[in-house]
């Protein structure tokens, strides 16, 4: 993971209060693994996926891994597969999946870091390319103040299959953090950022206190 005590000392040495924000990536940083995989496997177990959707998502995963295609292709197909679904149903399923699977995936060290920032009065924000239906239960469990995520379009409680803007992947996640800081009047030079992935180098470069957590090869 990290030199936990060294990071706890850095948090303790930082100014206190909500003007200091800790931005945490979700998949691979707060949790051990990928929430999208857990969601899709659960849908497969309950036969809640069409053959066409299975083919399209599987092909998008192959393209992303073999041809280095952008994650937007995968996210777009995953969200299109939810067209016509009730958001309330998706949230019910999200809480069930969190209790059964994702809660146990949260790194104990991540809980310690989050709690250290909370004791210091720091603002806590998850910044992720995941959807609300993956991240909200964890946000509530860990008591994060805000969530920046990939957001599906919802009209009268029903998903349209489209996204609000684009997925928060790579530079767009970093831009979402910058935009959030501008709205909230935060100085990113005194803020913390945590991620495991090389795609989040722009996010880590945007804050004064970046930390690689469980880094993949690209981030290492």
């Amino acid at each position: 993971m990290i030199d936990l005590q060294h990071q706890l000392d850095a948090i303790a040495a930082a100014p206190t209060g909500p003007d200091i924000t800790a931005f945490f990536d979700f998949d691979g940083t707060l949790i051990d693994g990928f929430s999208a995989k857990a969601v899709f496997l659960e849908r497969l177990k309950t036969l809640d996926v069409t053959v066409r959707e299975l083919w399209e998502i599987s092909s998008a995963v192959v393209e992303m891994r073999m041809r280095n295609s952008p994650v937007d292709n995968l996210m777009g197909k995953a969200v299109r597969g939810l067209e016509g679904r009730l958001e309330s149903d998706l949230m019910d399923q999200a809480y069930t999946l969190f209790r059964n699977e994702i809660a146990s995936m949260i790194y104990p060290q991540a809980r310690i870091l989050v709690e250290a920032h909370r004791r210091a009065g720091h603002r806590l924000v998850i910044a992720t390319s995941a959807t609300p239906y993956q991240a909200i239960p964890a946000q509530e469990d860990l008591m994060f103040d805000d969530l920046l995520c990939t957001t599906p379009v919802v009209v009268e409680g029903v998903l349209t299959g489209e996204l609000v803007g684009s997925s928060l992947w790579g530079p767009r996640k970093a831009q979402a953090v910058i935009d959030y800081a501008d709205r909230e009047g935060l100085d990113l030079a005194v803020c913390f950022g945590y991620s495991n992935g090389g795609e989040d180098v722009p996010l880590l470069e945007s804050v004064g206190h970046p930390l690689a957590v469980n880094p993949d090869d690209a981030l290492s």
Side-chain angles (χ1 to χ4, degrees):
M1 173 100 172
I2 57 172
D3 184 339
L4 183 60
Q5 189 56 54
H6 177 78
Q7 187 61 16
L8 293 175
D9 291 342
I11 295 169
T16 59
D19 287 342
I20 309 298
T21 298
F23 295 95
F24 282 81
D25 172 51
F26 183 48
D27 293 300
T29 301
L30 286 173
I31 66 172
D32 183 6
F34 296 92
S35 55
K37 180 179 179 181
V39 170
F40 196 64
L41 288 177
E42 181 63 22
R43 291 186 63 199
L44 283 175
K45 284 194 297 184
T46 59
L47 303 179
D48 183 29
V49 59
T50 66
V51 173
R52 179 178 179 180
E53 185 184 0
L54 176 60
W55 168 256
E56 289 192 346
I57 291 178
S58 299
S59 63
V61 170
V62 171
E63 287 179 17
M64 188 173 67
R65 290 180 175 175
M66 302 298 293
R67 304 177 187 174
N68 200 30
S69 65
V71 75
D72 295 344
N73 183 38
L74 175 60
M75 290 298 298
K77 288 182 176 180
V79 172
R80 279 197 296 276
L82 299 175
E83 181 181 0
R85 301 291 295 272
L86 291 173
E87 185 175 44
S88 58
D89 288 346
L90 292 175
M91 284 309 310
D92 288 343
Q93 293 167 9
Y95 287 114
T96 299
L97 183 64
F98 181 79
R99 289 192 299 270
N100 294 340
E101 299 285 344
I102 294 178
S104 63
M105 295 166 63
I106 297 175
Y107 284 110
Q109 298 94 330
R111 288 191 180 276
I112 293 170
L113 286 174
V114 169
E115 182 57 31
H117 280 292
R118 184 179 296 109
R119 285 199 305 270
H122 296 166
R123 189 183 314 212
L124 291 160
V125 178
I126 294 176
T128 177
S129 60
T131 66
Y133 320 115
Q134 297 160 245
I136 283 179
Q139 176 196 2
E140 295 177 355
D141 179 77
L142 292 165
M143 295 187 287
F144 271 73
D145 299 293
D146 279 308
L147 170 65
L148 306 175
C149 66
T150 297
T151 306
V153 175
V154 179
V155 177
E156 296 182 352
V158 178
L159 273 71
T160 68
E162 302 297 325
L163 289 175
V164 177
S166 300
S167 63
L168 293 195
W169 180 261
R172 289 191 297 275
K173 186 191 295 184
Q175 189 59 53
V177 166
I178 292 168
D179 292 344
Y180 177 88
D182 287 343
R183 291 194 305 271
E184 299 295 320
L186 303 175
D187 179 5
L188 287 177
V190 297
C191 292
F192 291 77
Y194 299 88
S195 180
N196 74 302
E199 75 280 358
D200 279 339
V201 167
L203 165 63
L204 295 174
E205 289 180 337
S206 72
V207 298
H209 301 285
L211 192 73
V213 181
N214 314 309
D216 62 14
D217 291 341
L219 187 55
S220 293

